[in-house]
Amino acid sequence: MPDLPARNVFPHTAQVNGQGRLVIGGCDVVSLAADFGTPLYVFDEQTLRDACQTFLREFRARYPKTQVLYAAKAFSNLALARLLAEEGLGMDVVSGGELALAKASGISPSQVYFHGNNKSLQELQEALAWGVGRIVVDSSHELVLLERLAAQANKTQDILLRISPGVDPHTHAKITTGILDSKFGFSVATGDAERAVRQALSSRHLRLSGLHCHIGSQLFEVEPYQEAMRITLTFAAQMREYGLKLTELGAGGGFAIPYLRDQRPPSTAEYAEALATTLKSSLKELGFGEPAFIIEPGRSIVGPAGVALYTVGARKEIPGVRTYLSVDGGMGDNIRPALYDAQYEAFVANRMDAPATDVVTIAGKYCESGDILVKDVPLAPSQPGDIIALPAAGAYCIPMASNYNMAPRPAIVMVKDGEARLIRRRETYQDLMSTDVA
Ligand code: LLP
């Protein structure tokens, strides 16, 4: 069998078959494209399960009281939510919609943490009524609302406070969250965090069980996590004088994945080692017991498991400038290149064994010049009708998809042992007009 190029960006079961075609989960992706149409997103069940088990194993081996929550925003889907719950992950939700998904998935509400910098009254009511495990409070406005709602419902709600530790994690500015100039969390530096702890501790219907921080996403360095945890724990120690008891500490998500063949982010074991070492030494130094430790991976659970498939259409060569190869998807299903200058590898899925002797810019079909999926990428020579595969597309593509240009959003399949199961059908034109009132 021919070799798989750039193995690190593909799902674990990826192979190239004797016909030179990409195979995932035992399914020839060219046949999947024919059966389900393109653009198509393919998720490999084995890679998803491996990621869950690796996170649980590596973190619990070093700190047994670790809980792993899946950050649902990375890809929200019912079949996926059921699979992750089956693997023992809790869920981090950030909206009424994600809360509804969690509820429909059958997960226990005690395993659900509700985040967000501006949760609405209705969302908070929904969370209280369902009995979510924790509400991660982000503002003093929210503390006031929640105390009132909990009092009306005659309930006591467990909460965490989201702390902004003032740490720069060196990632794209649009996915940095823990610095001082951020809309998220209570800043330690400005005294906001201290005021929030006092306010929370004096709220009769809220039980403050600990602190949370999340500093950003796609973080290749472990030091910013360590620094954020030290700052948060030092702050927690100072707050003991007001009566804070630290039963939980949340360190957020942000674990990086490889998008490109030469990227080597820390392994899950390396992240676990770095975080657990700092956690244990800081807890000891500051005289804390063993709080529960919460992590919230999103991208690192679903990202590596997903591959996007497109069909090649028009080609435009501008001599001495650039060659555009247009495909049947683009910014409507993957806004990341346009929004964050995100980079991807690309392959001709029906000719994986051919050398990449062409250099093309893969353009989408949307009416925007910025609708470019991959710029100047080496690719095997291709023709209209060929299938392009973009690996590492499992996170933040589908959930950020839009219907721009009235484009139906793609179908999604889950593959395993040679079987493909539709987990979201392609939208129809009728779907696109179904909420219009005329
Ligand atoms: N926890 C909290 C509180 C978060 O805000 C996030 C992501 C996560 C966990 C999960 O982070 P992850 O493990 O997926 O890095 N749309 C951007 C990423 C935005 C991340 C937002 N928050 C992208 O496409 O890169």
Side-chain angles (χ1 to χ4, degrees), residues 77-245:
N77 170 271
L78 206 47
L80 174 83
R82 292 198 174 134
L83 184 151
L84 300 183
E86 211 176 282
E87 288 295 337
L89 267 55
M91 204 188 285
D92 144 6
V93 302
V94 295
S95 67
E98 288 185 2
L99 200 60
L101 175 80
K103 209 168 164 178
S105 77
I107 194 173
S108 157
S110 65
Q111 298 300 302
V112 176
Y113 282 55
F114 189 17
H115 290 265
N117 68 305
N118 193 24
K119 305 174 192 77
S120 71
L121 195 69
Q122 186 188 328
E123 287 172 324
L124 290 171
Q125 271 166 338
E126 289 164 0
L128 273 174
W130 189 37
V132 297
R134 306 282 182 274
I135 295 182
V136 185
V137 175
D138 208 296
S139 69
S140 65
H141 166 69
E142 185 181 346
L143 275 174
V144 173
L145 280 186
L146 195 56
E147 166 69 1
R148 200 174 74 216
L149 291 175
Q152 281 163 6
N154 202 20
K155 287 191 169 178
T156 304
Q157 175 66 47
D158 281 308
I159 64 165
L160 301 179
L161 293 178
R162 176 159 179 177
I163 300 302
S164 171
V167 170
D168 185 348
H170 310 131
T171 187
H172 193 285
K174 285 185 184 153
I175 50 175
T176 290
T177 53
I179 55 172
L180 177 62
D181 184 2
S182 164
K183 70 171 181 171
F184 295 106
F186 297 100
S187 161
V188 174
T190 63
D192 259 7
E194 178 176 342
R195 283 187 285 278
V197 167
R198 298 178 70 173
Q199 188 183 347
L201 288 171
S202 67
S203 304
R204 290 187 47 218
H205 296 267
L206 306 180
R207 193 185 303 119
L208 180 58
S209 50
L211 304 177
H212 171 275
C213 66
H214 168 82
I215 52 176
S217 197
Q218 186 64 355
L219 310 182
F220 278 81
E221 299 166 22
V222 296
E223 292 77 12
Y225 282 105
Q226 296 175 313
E227 197 186 339
M229 277 169 38
R230 276 188 222 108
I231 293 172
T232 306
L233 285 169
T234 304
F235 170 72
Q238 289 160 359
M239 293 303 100
R240 278 191 290 221
E241 70 170 285
Y242 302 121
L244 175 71
K245 292 194 180 56

Side-chain angles (χ1 to χ4, degrees), residues 71 73 92 175 214 217 253-254 296 298-299 336 340 396 400:
K73 77 201 76 164
D92 144 6
I175 50 175
H214 168 82
S217 197
E296 298 157 348
R299 187 191 315 270
R336 301 192 67 259
Y340 314 115
Y396 300 113
M400 297 175 78

